[in-house]
mmCIF file of all heavy atoms in Angstrom:
data_model
loop_
_atom_site.group_PDB
_atom_site.id
_atom_site.type_symbol
_atom_site.label_atom_id
_atom_site.label_comp_id
_atom_site.label_asym_id
_atom_site.label_seq_id
_atom_site.Cartn_x
_atom_site.Cartn_y
_atom_site.Cartn_z
ATOM 1 N N GLU A 251 110.704 66.947 58.446
ATOM 2 C CA GLU A 251 111.295 65.558 58.150
ATOM 3 C C GLU A 251 110.378 64.478 58.565
ATOM 4 O O GLU A 251 110.266 63.452 57.933
ATOM 5 C CB GLU A 251 112.624 65.454 58.897
ATOM 6 C CG GLU A 251 113.730 66.439 58.274
ATOM 7 C CD GLU A 251 114.057 66.008 56.812
ATOM 8 O OE1 GLU A 251 114.035 64.876 56.567
ATOM 9 O OE2 GLU A 251 114.428 66.983 56.097
ATOM 10 N N MET A 252 109.789 64.697 59.803
ATOM 11 C CA MET A 252 108.780 63.684 60.232
ATOM 12 C C MET A 252 107.554 63.542 59.381
ATOM 13 O O MET A 252 107.131 62.443 59.001
ATOM 14 C CB MET A 252 108.325 64.033 61.686
ATOM 15 C CG MET A 252 107.587 62.866 62.411
ATOM 16 S SD MET A 252 108.634 61.459 62.669
ATOM 17 C CE MET A 252 109.842 62.113 63.752
ATOM 18 N N VAL A 253 107.140 64.668 58.775
ATOM 19 C CA VAL A 253 105.992 64.575 57.856
ATOM 20 C C VAL A 253 106.479 63.858 56.555
ATOM 21 O O VAL A 253 105.722 63.090 55.968
ATOM 22 C CB VAL A 253 105.502 66.029 57.548
ATOM 23 C CG1 VAL A 253 104.579 66.023 56.333
ATOM 24 C CG2 VAL A 253 104.833 66.645 58.715
ATOM 25 N N LYS A 254 107.629 64.135 56.080
ATOM 26 C CA LYS A 254 108.173 63.472 54.893
ATOM 27 C C LYS A 254 108.240 61.983 55.169
ATOM 28 O O LYS A 254 107.958 61.137 54.329
ATOM 29 C CB LYS A 254 109.526 63.989 54.543
ATOM 30 C CG LYS A 254 109.415 65.455 53.911
ATOM 31 C CD LYS A 254 110.890 65.906 53.573
ATOM 32 C CE LYS A 254 110.887 67.338 53.040
ATOM 33 N NZ LYS A 254 112.231 67.818 52.664
ATOM 34 N N LEU A 255 108.821 61.573 56.350
ATOM 35 C CA LEU A 255 108.965 60.168 56.706
ATOM 36 C C LEU A 255 107.677 59.428 56.655
ATOM 37 O O LEU A 255 107.553 58.378 56.067
ATOM 38 C CB LEU A 255 109.689 60.064 58.017
ATOM 39 C CG LEU A 255 109.932 58.583 58.582
ATOM 40 C CD1 LEU A 255 110.848 57.906 57.576
ATOM 41 C CD2 LEU A 255 110.439 58.679 59.922
ATOM 42 N N ILE A 256 106.652 60.065 57.316
ATOM 43 C CA ILE A 256 105.340 59.441 57.383
ATOM 44 C C ILE A 256 104.735 59.372 55.957
ATOM 45 O O ILE A 256 104.191 58.338 55.666
ATOM 46 C CB ILE A 256 104.447 60.194 58.348
ATOM 47 C CG1 ILE A 256 104.971 60.143 59.758
ATOM 48 C CG2 ILE A 256 103.020 59.696 58.302
ATOM 49 C CD1 ILE A 256 104.147 60.931 60.834
ATOM 50 N N SER A 257 104.874 60.456 55.242
ATOM 51 C CA SER A 257 104.206 60.459 53.950
ATOM 52 C C SER A 257 104.873 59.445 52.997
ATOM 53 O O SER A 257 104.219 58.681 52.234
ATOM 54 C CB SER A 257 104.394 61.876 53.323
ATOM 55 O OG SER A 257 103.694 62.841 54.087
ATOM 56 N N SER A 258 106.152 59.326 52.975
ATOM 57 C CA SER A 258 106.938 58.417 52.083
ATOM 58 C C SER A 258 106.514 56.901 52.397
ATOM 59 O O SER A 258 106.299 56.085 51.511
ATOM 60 C CB SER A 258 108.433 58.596 52.143
ATOM 61 O OG SER A 258 108.882 58.339 53.457
ATOM 62 N N ASN A 259 106.498 56.635 53.716
ATOM 63 C CA ASN A 259 106.082 55.288 54.122
ATOM 64 C C ASN A 259 104.629 54.966 53.750
ATOM 65 O O ASN A 259 104.279 53.865 53.388
ATOM 66 C CB ASN A 259 106.327 55.098 55.649
ATOM 67 C CG ASN A 259 107.800 54.740 55.983
ATOM 68 O OD1 ASN A 259 108.116 53.587 55.978
ATOM 69 N ND2 ASN A 259 108.585 55.811 56.241
ATOM 70 N N LYS A 260 103.811 56.003 53.916
ATOM 71 C CA LYS A 260 102.409 55.827 53.482
ATOM 72 C C LYS A 260 102.301 55.574 52.099
ATOM 73 O O LYS A 260 101.568 54.672 51.606
ATOM 74 C CB LYS A 260 101.628 57.064 53.945
ATOM 75 C CG LYS A 260 100.045 56.943 53.686
ATOM 76 C CD LYS A 260 99.373 58.232 53.939
ATOM 77 C CE LYS A 260 99.643 59.258 52.871
ATOM 78 N NZ LYS A 260 98.739 60.435 53.003
ATOM 79 N N ARG A 261 103.052 56.314 51.228
ATOM 80 C CA ARG A 261 103.004 56.140 49.802
ATOM 81 C C ARG A 261 103.483 54.708 49.359
ATOM 82 O O ARG A 261 102.870 54.126 48.556
ATOM 83 C CB ARG A 261 103.727 57.207 49.087
ATOM 84 C CG ARG A 261 103.112 58.559 49.044
ATOM 85 C CD ARG A 261 103.790 59.450 48.048
ATOM 86 N NE ARG A 261 105.208 59.701 48.313
ATOM 87 C CZ ARG A 261 105.597 60.645 49.106
ATOM 88 N NH1 ARG A 261 104.786 61.545 49.634
ATOM 89 N NH2 ARG A 261 106.943 60.776 49.339
ATOM 90 N N ALA A 262 104.508 54.311 49.993
ATOM 91 C CA ALA A 262 105.135 52.977 49.673
ATOM 92 C C ALA A 262 104.118 51.907 50.052
ATOM 93 O O ALA A 262 103.922 50.964 49.221
ATOM 94 C CB ALA A 262 106.443 52.677 50.413
ATOM 95 N N ALA A 263 103.539 52.009 51.261
ATOM 96 C CA ALA A 263 102.507 51.032 51.653
ATOM 97 C C ALA A 263 101.286 50.961 50.755
ATOM 98 O O ALA A 263 100.774 49.884 50.350
ATOM 99 C CB ALA A 263 102.083 51.145 53.110
ATOM 100 N N LEU A 264 100.811 52.167 50.449
ATOM 101 C CA LEU A 264 99.678 52.259 49.490
ATOM 102 C C LEU A 264 100.040 51.706 48.128
ATOM 103 O O LEU A 264 99.161 51.016 47.498
ATOM 104 C CB LEU A 264 99.215 53.746 49.474
ATOM 105 C CG LEU A 264 98.582 54.238 50.725
ATOM 106 C CD1 LEU A 264 98.171 55.746 50.451
ATOM 107 C CD2 LEU A 264 97.331 53.522 51.111
ATOM 108 N N SER A 265 101.173 51.976 47.631
ATOM 109 C CA SER A 265 101.548 51.465 46.298
ATOM 110 C C SER A 265 101.655 49.942 46.296
ATOM 111 O O SER A 265 101.136 49.322 45.329
ATOM 112 C CB SER A 265 102.886 52.068 45.829
ATOM 113 O OG SER A 265 103.373 51.576 44.610
ATOM 114 N N ASN A 266 102.241 49.360 47.326
ATOM 115 C CA ASN A 266 102.292 47.909 47.457
ATOM 116 C C ASN A 266 100.849 47.254 47.534
ATOM 117 O O ASN A 266 100.513 46.335 46.862
ATOM 118 C CB ASN A 266 103.120 47.610 48.644
ATOM 119 C CG ASN A 266 103.402 46.122 48.769
ATOM 120 O OD1 ASN A 266 103.337 45.321 47.826
ATOM 121 N ND2 ASN A 266 103.642 45.631 50.024
ATOM 122 N N ALA A 267 99.966 47.979 48.324
ATOM 123 C CA ALA A 267 98.683 47.411 48.533
ATOM 124 C C ALA A 267 97.912 47.568 47.173
ATOM 125 O O ALA A 267 97.148 46.618 46.828
ATOM 126 C CB ALA A 267 97.941 48.172 49.570
ATOM 127 N N GLU A 268 98.061 48.678 46.511
ATOM 128 C CA GLU A 268 97.394 48.825 45.154
ATOM 129 C C GLU A 268 97.827 47.733 44.118
ATOM 130 O O GLU A 268 97.017 47.241 43.341
ATOM 131 C CB GLU A 268 97.615 50.222 44.645
ATOM 132 C CG GLU A 268 96.859 51.244 45.488
ATOM 133 C CD GLU A 268 97.235 52.757 45.096
ATOM 134 O OE1 GLU A 268 98.188 52.801 44.249
ATOM 135 O OE2 GLU A 268 96.630 53.607 45.638
ATOM 136 N N GLY A 269 99.196 47.431 44.197
ATOM 137 C CA GLY A 269 99.620 46.365 43.246
ATOM 138 C C GLY A 269 98.951 45.075 43.540
ATOM 139 O O GLY A 269 98.608 44.325 42.588
ATOM 140 N N HIS A 270 98.911 44.736 44.788
ATOM 141 C CA HIS A 270 98.269 43.472 45.145
ATOM 142 C C HIS A 270 96.812 43.450 44.786
ATOM 143 O O HIS A 270 96.279 42.447 44.341
ATOM 144 C CB HIS A 270 98.386 43.191 46.653
ATOM 145 C CG HIS A 270 99.904 42.804 46.989
ATOM 146 N ND1 HIS A 270 100.469 41.681 46.403
ATOM 147 C CD2 HIS A 270 100.802 43.282 47.901
ATOM 148 C CE1 HIS A 270 101.764 41.572 46.903
ATOM 149 N NE2 HIS A 270 101.923 42.559 47.828
ATOM 150 N N MET A 271 96.206 44.529 45.082
ATOM 151 C CA MET A 271 94.754 44.663 44.666
ATOM 152 C C MET A 271 94.487 44.455 43.214
ATOM 153 O O MET A 271 93.532 43.890 42.770
ATOM 154 C CB MET A 271 94.247 45.996 45.246
ATOM 155 C CG MET A 271 94.110 46.105 46.779
ATOM 156 S SD MET A 271 93.654 47.685 47.390
ATOM 157 C CE MET A 271 91.947 47.725 46.786
ATOM 158 N N GLU A 272 95.370 45.067 42.370
ATOM 159 C CA GLU A 272 95.206 44.972 40.944
ATOM 160 C C GLU A 272 95.436 43.541 40.512
ATOM 161 O O GLU A 272 94.581 42.921 39.674
ATOM 162 C CB GLU A 272 96.236 45.853 40.218
ATOM 163 C CG GLU A 272 96.057 45.890 38.727
ATOM 164 C CD GLU A 272 96.974 46.802 37.991
ATOM 165 O OE1 GLU A 272 97.818 47.513 38.793
ATOM 166 O OE2 GLU A 272 97.091 46.961 36.808
ATOM 167 N N ARG A 273 96.436 42.836 40.994
ATOM 168 C CA ARG A 273 96.660 41.451 40.677
ATOM 169 C C ARG A 273 95.468 40.559 41.100
ATOM 170 O O ARG A 273 95.046 39.709 40.398
ATOM 171 C CB ARG A 273 97.966 40.897 41.309
ATOM 172 C CG ARG A 273 98.310 39.582 40.919
ATOM 173 C CD ARG A 273 99.771 39.148 41.381
ATOM 174 N NE ARG A 273 99.718 39.255 42.820
ATOM 175 C CZ ARG A 273 99.269 38.298 43.692
ATOM 176 N NH1 ARG A 273 98.771 37.179 43.125
ATOM 177 N NH2 ARG A 273 99.412 38.475 44.958
ATOM 178 N N LEU A 274 94.946 40.844 42.379
ATOM 179 C CA LEU A 274 93.894 40.077 42.808
ATOM 180 C C LEU A 274 92.615 40.261 41.939
ATOM 181 O O LEU A 274 91.830 39.335 41.771
ATOM 182 C CB LEU A 274 93.541 40.460 44.294
ATOM 183 C CG LEU A 274 94.551 39.943 45.366
ATOM 184 C CD1 LEU A 274 94.268 40.551 46.749
ATOM 185 C CD2 LEU A 274 94.555 38.446 45.396
ATOM 186 N N SER A 275 92.459 41.458 41.413
ATOM 187 C CA SER A 275 91.320 41.782 40.524
ATOM 188 C C SER A 275 91.349 40.955 39.246
ATOM 189 O O SER A 275 90.406 40.412 38.823
ATOM 190 C CB SER A 275 91.282 43.306 40.230
ATOM 191 O OG SER A 275 91.101 44.064 41.397
ATOM 192 N N HIS A 276 92.622 40.834 38.669
ATOM 193 C CA HIS A 276 92.794 40.067 37.395
ATOM 194 C C HIS A 276 92.530 38.620 37.714
ATOM 195 O O HIS A 276 91.870 37.884 36.999
ATOM 196 C CB HIS A 276 94.196 40.205 36.874
ATOM 197 C CG HIS A 276 94.502 41.593 36.354
ATOM 198 N ND1 HIS A 276 93.647 42.140 35.309
ATOM 199 C CD2 HIS A 276 95.402 42.489 36.475
ATOM 200 C CE1 HIS A 276 94.073 43.356 34.951
ATOM 201 N NE2 HIS A 276 95.169 43.617 35.675
ATOM 202 N N GLU A 277 93.085 38.064 38.871
ATOM 203 C CA GLU A 277 92.915 36.704 39.216
ATOM 204 C C GLU A 277 91.385 36.340 39.431
ATOM 205 O O GLU A 277 90.843 35.308 39.049
ATOM 206 C CB GLU A 277 93.672 36.343 40.380
ATOM 207 C CG GLU A 277 95.147 36.341 40.174
ATOM 208 C CD GLU A 277 95.938 36.131 41.511
ATOM 209 O OE1 GLU A 277 95.362 36.088 42.548
ATOM 210 O OE2 GLU A 277 97.207 35.992 41.441
ATOM 211 N N ILE A 278 90.656 37.343 40.150
ATOM 212 C CA ILE A 278 89.206 37.075 40.381
ATOM 213 C C ILE A 278 88.492 37.054 39.058
ATOM 214 O O ILE A 278 87.586 36.206 38.869
ATOM 215 C CB ILE A 278 88.683 38.244 41.262
ATOM 216 C CG1 ILE A 278 89.295 37.992 42.753
ATOM 217 C CG2 ILE A 278 87.175 38.180 41.392
ATOM 218 C CD1 ILE A 278 89.088 39.200 43.589
ATOM 219 N N ALA A 279 88.823 37.950 38.126
ATOM 220 C CA ALA A 279 88.230 37.955 36.848
ATOM 221 C C ALA A 279 88.379 36.653 36.064
ATOM 222 O O ALA A 279 87.499 36.046 35.404
ATOM 223 C CB ALA A 279 88.628 39.190 36.020
ATOM 224 N N ASP A 280 89.681 36.167 36.100
ATOM 225 C CA ASP A 280 90.021 34.798 35.373
ATOM 226 C C ASP A 280 89.235 33.700 35.999
ATOM 227 O O ASP A 280 88.779 32.843 35.273
ATOM 228 C CB ASP A 280 91.496 34.709 35.417
ATOM 229 C CG ASP A 280 91.978 33.462 34.624
ATOM 230 O OD1 ASP A 280 91.650 33.376 33.500
ATOM 231 O OD2 ASP A 280 92.555 32.526 35.255
ATOM 232 N N LEU A 281 89.136 33.700 37.338
ATOM 233 C CA LEU A 281 88.483 32.560 37.994
ATOM 234 C C LEU A 281 87.042 32.691 37.720
ATOM 235 O O LEU A 281 86.324 31.589 37.530
ATOM 236 C CB LEU A 281 88.768 32.726 39.486
ATOM 237 C CG LEU A 281 90.194 32.358 39.964
ATOM 238 C CD1 LEU A 281 90.305 32.697 41.469
ATOM 239 C CD2 LEU A 281 90.565 30.927 39.665
ATOM 240 N N LYS A 282 86.441 33.836 37.648
ATOM 241 C CA LYS A 282 85.025 33.958 37.368
ATOM 242 C C LYS A 282 84.766 33.458 35.897
ATOM 243 O O LYS A 282 83.742 32.814 35.576
ATOM 244 C CB LYS A 282 84.624 35.371 37.493
ATOM 245 C CG LYS A 282 84.392 35.849 38.897
ATOM 246 C CD LYS A 282 83.851 37.300 38.997
ATOM 247 C CE LYS A 282 83.652 37.732 40.395
ATOM 248 N NZ LYS A 282 83.112 39.040 40.490
#
Side-chain angles (χ1 to χ4, degrees):
E251 292 297 327
M252 192 62 66
V253 170
K254 289 180 182 178
L255 178 64
I256 295 174
S257 298
S258 62
N259 278 272
K260 183 184 74 172
R261 285 196 300 270
L264 290 178
S265 177
N266 187 24
E268 289 172 355
H270 288 303
M271 291 175 67
E272 183 177 0
R273 186 173 59 79
L274 288 173
S275 297
H276 290 307
E277 292 176 352
I278 291 171
D280 185 60
L281 291 172
K282 286 183 177 180

